Amino acid sequence: IDILVDMAGTSEVALAMFFATAFTKTKEIFYVQGNPYWYYLWFFPFSQFSVGRFLFASKEIEEKFKTLFPFGSEKMFYLPNPIDIHKFRQMDKTPARKKLGLSPNEKIIVQIGRIEPAQGSDYLLEIVKRNPDKKFIFIGKLKDENISSSNLKNLNLLEFIPHEETILYYNAADLSIFLTKRNSYPFPQRESIACGTPVMVFDIGAF
């Protein structure tokens, strides 16, 4: 293995990554998320007997790891998660809404990603209820029965859209919401900002 990429980042995945690369010639691991306080048990052998470099998607997490694990700091580097700004770019709201069949006058708020408690679906439901004058569009697999049974008139649920339409929804929206409760480094909030649409997120280290 030359480069091993972890897109999940849970502690059990980290342990599997160690076993996959220990005493091998793996050159780099790109660890997309990770709270260093969780990983005392595995990080020492990982840093001593595994890969040549650890690449972190967050400057903050890189600095924390270097502070907590100085014995492996020479292997730790920051590498940002990139967004294709040629694809995710700002465009005028009017044509974007026209292509999607959305009203030019409504206040539209979008959420793209799985709709489940770990992704803040309980907060999302409360926000929709408290803002009946705004139109909400949730795009992603629905895993919260409270939302599926809510029958809120100002909420549209779309389980799937063609990937190329995501740029239209970001540009059509006045605001996007991404309320994951996990310390992760996902793409939707970056894609939205690249399209010029502000994002509401939880105050967690990843953001």
Side-chain angles (χ1 to χ4, degrees):
I1 301 172
D2 293 308
I3 300 176
L4 184 61
V5 179
D6 167 29
M7 295 297 289
T10 56
S11 53
E12 59 269 25
V13 173
L15 188 61
M17 291 174 71
F18 167 66
F19 283 115
T21 58
F23 304 103
T24 71
K25 295 182 179 181
T26 302
K27 297 174 183 176
E28 297 176 322
I29 279 185
F30 185 28
Y31 198 59
V32 178
Q33 73 172 26
N35 184 334
Y37 297 100
W38 295 344
Y39 303 133
Y40 279 106
L41 292 178
W42 63 262
F43 197 80
F44 178 77
F46 209 166
S47 63
Q48 298 301 305
F49 308 114
S50 189
V51 296
R53 298 206 308 167
F54 296 93
L55 308 177
F56 297 97
S58 163
K59 186 67 176 174
E60 177 194 25
I61 296 300
E62 179 217 15
E63 291 172 353
K64 285 183 177 179
F65 264 88
K66 283 185 174 181
T67 300
L68 291 169
F69 305 103
F71 46 78
S73 61
E74 73 282 354
K75 296 183 177 182
M76 302 177 195
F77 298 90
Y78 168 57
L79 181 67
N81 246 351
I83 291 295
D84 185 351
I85 58 173
H86 299 291
K87 177 179 180 181
F88 292 97
R89 64 192 186 282
Q90 190 168 5
M91 63 175 64
D92 189 74
K93 283 191 188 308
T94 302
R97 290 190 176 193
K98 187 174 182 180
K99 286 182 180 180
L100 296 171
L102 300 172
S103 168
N105 302 316
E106 288 182 301
K107 291 292 185 183
I108 296 176
I109 300 172
V110 302
Q111 199 274 168
I112 297 181
R114 291 191 311 278
I115 306 161
E116 61 184 9
Q119 302 291 350
S121 60
D122 47 348
Y123 289 92
L124 290 171
L125 181 58
E126 191 65 24
I127 290 171
V128 176
K129 288 179 178 178
R130 292 190 183 193
N131 293 274
D133 57 326
K134 297 178 177 61
K135 184 182 186 68
F136 292 83
I137 303 173
F138 292 173
I139 302 168
K141 192 170 183 62
L142 182 59
K143 296 185 175 182
D144 189 328
E145 294 181 359
N146 293 322
I147 289 182
S148 60
S149 61
S150 62
N151 296 318
L152 292 165
K153 293 182 179 180
N154 62 330
L155 174 61
N156 282 11
L157 297 170
L158 303 174
E159 186 164 347
F160 172 81
I161 61 170
H163 186 65
E164 58 272 13
E165 286 187 10
T166 56
I167 184 175
L168 294 176
Y169 279 98
Y170 284 129
N171 277 280
D174 297 291
L175 175 73
S176 69
I177 305 180
F178 195 78
L179 297 183
T180 180
K181 301 173 184 178
R182 297 170 177 167
N183 191 15
S184 59
Y185 303 94
F187 290 104
Q189 80 284 1
R190 294 186 182 90
E191 293 170 349
S192 180
I193 291 172
C195 293
T197 301
V199 187
M200 181 167 70
V201 298
F202 272 135
D203 184 15
I204 60 175
F207 300 133

